[in-house]
Amino acid sequence: MQWIDNIVLGLVDEYGTRDVYELCDCLEIEIRGLDPSSIILNGHEAFYYRHFNGAEIIFISNKLENPLKEFVLKHELGHALCHTGILSAGFLYSNIHKLEKQANYFAFKLSDISFDKVELREMTLEQIASCLEIPYEPLKQLVNL
């Protein structure tokens, strides 16, 4: 997905950071934590709205902890930058839709995850996800692209 690679590289070049909080600030995308039972989240871990009362907002469960929270924010930022034709998108671990896979790919690229292939050779995907502190389901989807 070279086009997503180009978006990430351009973003990092333009703003000099991979920090999702700084990037959202630069791009004027608000981040608001909500109780997981909020009707806005509608059962999702996070939800991106392009035009919510005139603002771009990522609503995210305030129960998520890092590093998962940062991955989910990067995923939603991926929707904001890669899927400009959508008005909203929600994060679920099991999403297999094309746009969700692209947003996951964006999150991995923005994270700039690197690893030693020899060290991870004998590990399962679950173990690799744990070692790299990334969610298993999106990693599984990325491997199956």
Side-chain angles (χ1 to χ4, degrees):
M1 288 188 237
Q2 187 62 44
W3 65 277
I4 295 176
D5 294 349
N6 292 339
I7 291 171
V8 170
L9 290 173
L11 188 65
V12 172
D13 186 52
E14 174 77 19
Y15 298 107
T17 186
R18 290 180 178 275
D19 182 280
V20 69
Y21 297 99
E22 289 179 29
L23 291 171
C24 284
D25 188 50
C26 291
L27 297 168
E28 298 180 359
I29 298 174
E30 294 180 42
I31 300 170
R32 290 192 193 164
L34 297 175
D35 187 88
S37 64
S38 168
I39 194 164
I40 291 175
L41 289 176
N42 194 29
H44 295 86
E45 297 293 336
F47 220 87
Y48 166 72
Y49 282 97
R50 186 165 307 282
H51 299 289
F52 187 84
N53 294 329
E56 277 188 90
I57 300 178
I58 297 172
F59 293 101
I60 189 162
S61 168
N62 58 16
K63 300 293 183 191
L64 293 180
E65 295 184 18
N66 284 333
L68 177 59
K69 182 178 182 180
E70 286 189 16
F71 179 86
V72 172
L73 286 170
K74 289 173 184 177
H75 171 100
E76 297 304 329
L77 181 59
H79 282 304
L81 299 175
C82 298
H83 307 134
T84 56
I86 64 168
L87 295 177
S88 65
F91 181 86
L92 291 172
Y93 292 108
S94 61
N95 279 345
I96 57 172
H97 187 273
K98 177 182 174 182
L99 297 182
E100 294 304 311
K101 289 180 181 180
Q102 291 172 349
N104 285 337
Y105 181 83
F106 177 93
F108 284 119
K109 283 304 207 176
L110 186 58
S111 297
D112 197 29
I113 295 169
S114 60
F115 54 88
D116 182 342
K117 291 180 183 180
V118 174
E119 181 181 313
L120 301 179
R121 180 182 58 214
E122 302 294 324
M123 297 173 83
T124 66
L125 276 181
E126 291 93 342
Q127 291 169 325
I128 292 170
S130 177
C131 179
L132 298 176
E133 296 183 315
I134 54 178
Y136 168 71
E137 284 298 325
L139 178 62
K140 183 173 127 182
Q141 291 170 4
L142 183 64
V143 170
N144 292 324
L145 282 179

